[in-house]
Amino acid sequence: MTQLSPPVARAVAVLNFMAGHSAQAFTLTEIAKSLRLSSATCHSLLASLAEAGYVYRTAGTTYVLGPAL
């Protein structure tokens, strides 16, 4: 089996984290700290995942799993 590229591995880590806590909403800071990512990297990942519909940014600036999942 091939190894994931680092950017893909980070995106998968975010999705796995959120799927493991699907009943909760998380701030960018909470996700970044939990996954030991920089805030800038986490922001970029969340923005891309939100655009694709995999996560949803709530009005309270938290993130939950999106309708694409």
Side-chain angles (χ1 to χ4, degrees):
M1 185 164 143
T2 61
Q3 188 174 6
L4 295 176
S5 70
V8 172
R10 287 189 288 269
V12 169
V14 169
L15 291 173
N16 284 338
F17 173 77
M18 295 188 74
H21 306 88
S22 60
Q24 293 177 263
F26 295 95
T27 65
L28 180 146
T29 302
E30 291 170 332
I31 296 168
K33 284 184 179 183
S34 294
L35 298 176
R36 296 184 178 176
L37 298 172
S38 73
S39 292
T41 296
C42 194
H43 181 266
S44 178
L45 286 168
L46 289 169
S48 296
L49 290 170
E51 187 173 322
Y54 291 108
V55 299
Y56 175 76
R57 185 176 180 188
T58 67
T61 66
T62 58
Y63 293 87
V64 295
L65 290 176
L69 295 175

